[in-house]
Amino acid sequence: MKLAIFDIDGTLTKTNDVDTQCFVKAFALNGIENINTDWASYGHTTDSGITLQIFQEFFGRVPEESELSRLQHHFVDLLQEQYTTDNTLFAEIPGASVMLRRLRETEDWAIALATGGWSASACMKLDSAKLDVGQLPTASADDSISREDIVKTAISRAKALYNQLDFEKIVCIGDGIWDVLTAVQLQLNFVGVASGEQKRTLQDAGVEQIIEDFVNFDDFLQALNTASIPKPKKLLEIEKRSLPPSYFEALYGTDPDPWKFETSEYEAKKYTATIAALPKRYKSAFEIGGSIGVLTEKLASLCDSLLSIDVSKLAQEKAIQRCQHLKQVRFQIMRLPEQFPEEMFDLVLVSEVGYYWCWEDLQKAKQCILEHLEPGGHLLLVHWTEYARDYPLNGEQVHDSFMELTPTKLRHLKSQREEQYRLDLFERV
């Protein structure tokens, strides 16, 4: 049996525009106005992820349960008002209802829903569009802030409902660039539902199977059966902005150790390799993106002075507590490349942070690092090299960019490649 996982807004229902209007108004009713509606610029393009980031930007904290509940109720109420005024705003994508019925009648395909919207608003829109989704397994922004986790939850619920240990093929069906990026992250096949400029956007992102609607069921079924995983090389050409501090505050606000730095065996081995790559003791070291201080504590043993910076106050509070016994360690909230310390360093460590910058900011950061690295000083880069949907760059791009500075400005001393990360040590010429 194969599994088709449908997005809702813009994929099954024509509700992208009314969704945006009511979402913005719901925030305004809760005292938050002029929010950024470029949803692709948020770290997690889900109602819960966007809400967390907005609260961090406006208030420097995550929303309380009462605030979140009030926001959701306002949102659904506003959608209901719009439906009463003009129910055409909630129309189905042509052919969607018939397509769902016919697909459910096939023996080969199972169906699940995975939406970046909240469950209450998603149900309201499906009902308004007269789409019968019955007891289909569904995952929403109530389950996670991450689209990847939402899709994985939908798959898990589908396996349970359809009594499948695994599916022969899984295809995601969506209309947004974030849907494509999620499919790439999870290495799932993808069918786009788009026309005009949006169709060209999906094509540029490497999507091969794109339909305008579901009117021709046989065409859609053929698209499902021939769907492929979007090509990552094309996706990496999509220009993204550097991730803002609010992205990280939202993560740390929901999980104090979102990357499992304290408990991951992978991280422990990588930290050991990182410290082993440094050939001497340093007078003045600079750690960019110290997070909760797990690597900071280990690095301090090789430094007379160590400045560790991060954009997240929540993360750095844990780092300060962890390293309070280390008098040579200083901490500062700082966002590069807009800000940079005035002092010079004989070691700069860039570990798991370079891919959070967009290409332009990476170039600026490189220049700042060079200007503040003493002749003979060391630069150590360590980065995860796999694809991540919400990162502007990947680890390979970051390291290759610094390699361009050799041999005139940097001398390459060491390279180490593991299955999931890359390490490179340089010396300032």
Side-chain angles (χ1 to χ4, degrees):
M1 179 175 277
K2 294 172 279 192
L3 178 64
I5 306 175
F6 290 88
D7 175 43
I8 296 177
D9 291 298
T11 301
L12 293 176
T13 63
K14 292 184 176 182
T15 48
N16 277 335
D17 291 341
V18 70
D19 183 85
T20 293
Q21 295 169 12
C22 293
F23 197 65
V24 171
K25 288 180 181 178
F27 274 97
L29 289 175
N30 286 269
I32 303 175
E33 298 184 349
N34 300 317
I35 66 172
N36 174 20
T37 57
D38 179 9
W39 308 128
S41 69
Y42 288 84
H44 291 289
T45 314
T46 61
D47 285 359
S48 52
I50 292 169
T51 298
L52 283 175
Q53 197 165 327
I54 288 173
F55 266 76
Q56 287 291 350
E57 291 173 354
F58 278 79
F59 304 122
R61 61 173 176 82
V62 298
E64 298 176 0
E65 284 298 325
S66 59
E67 293 173 314
L68 193 57
S69 177
R70 186 164 57 250
L71 179 67
Q72 291 175 335
H73 279 101
H74 280 147
F75 183 34
V76 174
D77 288 345
L78 288 164
L79 288 170
Q80 292 282 8
E81 290 176 11
Q82 286 295 315
Y83 178 75
T84 301
T85 302
D86 185 359
N87 60 15
T88 63
L89 298 173
F90 295 80
E92 68 172 14
I93 296 296
S97 179
V98 173
M99 176 276 296
L100 288 173
R101 176 178 57 79
R102 292 188 64 181
L103 194 61
R104 294 174 83 166
E105 292 171 353
T106 65
E107 295 181 357
D108 292 342
W109 286 93
I111 304 174
L113 304 179
T115 174
W118 284 310
S119 178
S121 55
C123 289
M124 181 271 164
K125 285 176 279 190
L126 288 168
D127 289 343
S128 299
K130 305 297 188 294
L131 292 177
D132 179 16
V133 296
Q135 301 299 312
L136 291 178
T138 303
S140 70
D142 295 86
D143 295 299
S144 175
I145 66 171
S146 160
R147 280 187 175 264
E148 289 77 15
D149 287 342
I150 291 171
V151 170
K152 286 191 285 188
T153 299
I155 293 172
S156 177
R157 290 173 180 168
K159 287 179 179 178
L161 181 67
Y162 298 108
N163 194 27
Q164 298 287 311
L165 290 176
D166 210 343
F167 290 99
E168 176 186 341
K169 181 176 186 177
I170 299 177
V171 182
C172 293
I173 303 97
D175 66 297
I177 190 64
W178 41 81
D179 298 316
V180 182
L181 299 177
T182 300
V184 173
Q185 180 73 59
L186 297 177
Q187 287 296 281
L188 297 175
N189 305 290
F190 189 83
V191 171
V193 181
S195 61
E197 185 61 33
Q198 187 61 18
K199 180 179 180 179
R200 287 187 286 275
T201 297
L202 298 191
Q203 288 174 330
D204 290 342
V207 180
E208 295 181 352
Q209 296 293 339
I210 303 176
I211 60 171
E212 293 191 5
D213 53 41
F214 302 102
V215 171
N216 191 317
F217 179 74
D218 290 336
D219 285 351
F220 173 61
L221 197 59
Q222 182 180 2
L224 283 180
N225 286 314
T226 58
S228 59
I229 301 170
K231 305 301 186 294
K233 288 184 179 179
K234 293 184 179 180
L235 285 169
L236 293 175
E237 297 171 2
I238 299 172
E239 185 176 352
K240 302 179 187 176
R241 301 175 187 172
S242 295
L243 292 177
S246 57
Y247 168 85
F248 299 97
E249 291 291 67
L251 284 178
Y252 288 110
T254 55
D255 183 348
D257 187 8
W259 290 280
K260 303 299 180 281
F261 293 144
E262 294 179 323
T263 57
S264 166
E265 182 179 352
Y266 160 78
E267 294 293 344
K269 290 181 178 179
K270 188 183 63 179
Y271 290 156
T272 298
T274 299
I275 299 302
L278 297 171
K280 65 177 185 178
R281 187 172 184 83
Y282 299 91
K283 292 182 179 180
S284 180
F286 181 37
E287 180 188 26
I288 300 174
S291 185
I292 60 175
V294 178
L295 181 56
T296 310
E297 186 178 26
K298 300 177 185 298
L299 181 63
S301 64
L302 294 178
C303 307
D304 295 335
S305 173
L306 171 60
L307 172 61
S308 178
I309 69 165
D310 205 276
V311 297
S312 169
K313 295 179 181 179
L314 292 174
Q316 197 165 88
E317 286 173 0
K318 288 200 67 177
I320 292 172
Q321 184 178 13
R322 184 187 309 279
C323 299
Q324 59 184 335
H325 62 290
L326 300 170
K327 303 305 179 184
Q328 73 271 40
V329 181
R330 296 173 290 135
F331 293 94
Q332 192 170 347
I333 296 295
M334 185 177 291
R335 183 181 183 181
L336 269 60
E338 293 90 337
Q339 303 166 296
F340 207 94
E342 294 295 330
E343 59 199 281
M344 298 293 291
F345 303 97
D346 60 350
L347 171 65
V348 175
L349 174 62
V350 186
S351 177
E352 308 293 9
V353 70
Y355 40 57
Y356 298 136
W357 290 316
C358 66
W359 187 253
E360 180 182 357
D361 283 346
L362 174 63
Q363 303 312 308
K364 292 178 181 177
K366 279 170 53 180
Q367 185 62 36
C368 290
I369 290 170
L370 278 177
E371 291 175 355
H372 292 267
L373 185 61
E374 294 179 353
H378 288 163
L379 166 66
L380 181 59
L381 306 178
V382 188
H383 288 87
W384 186 60
T385 51
E386 297 186 10
Y387 175 76
R389 175 194 59 81
D390 44 347
Y391 298 173
L393 302 173
N394 66 21
E396 296 285 5
Q397 290 175 302
V398 174
H399 286 236
D400 289 345
S401 178
F402 277 91
M403 288 293 292
E404 294 173 358
L405 300 176
T406 61
T408 56
K409 297 181 180 179
L410 291 175
R411 183 180 298 110
H412 191 214
L413 301 181
K414 180 177 183 178
S415 181
Q416 179 178 338
R417 286 180 177 269
E418 301 296 337
E419 183 178 354
Q420 292 182 296
Y421 73 88
R422 174 177 173 181
L423 180 153
D424 283 288
L425 179 66
F426 301 90
E427 182 178 82
R428 181 75 162 94
V429 174

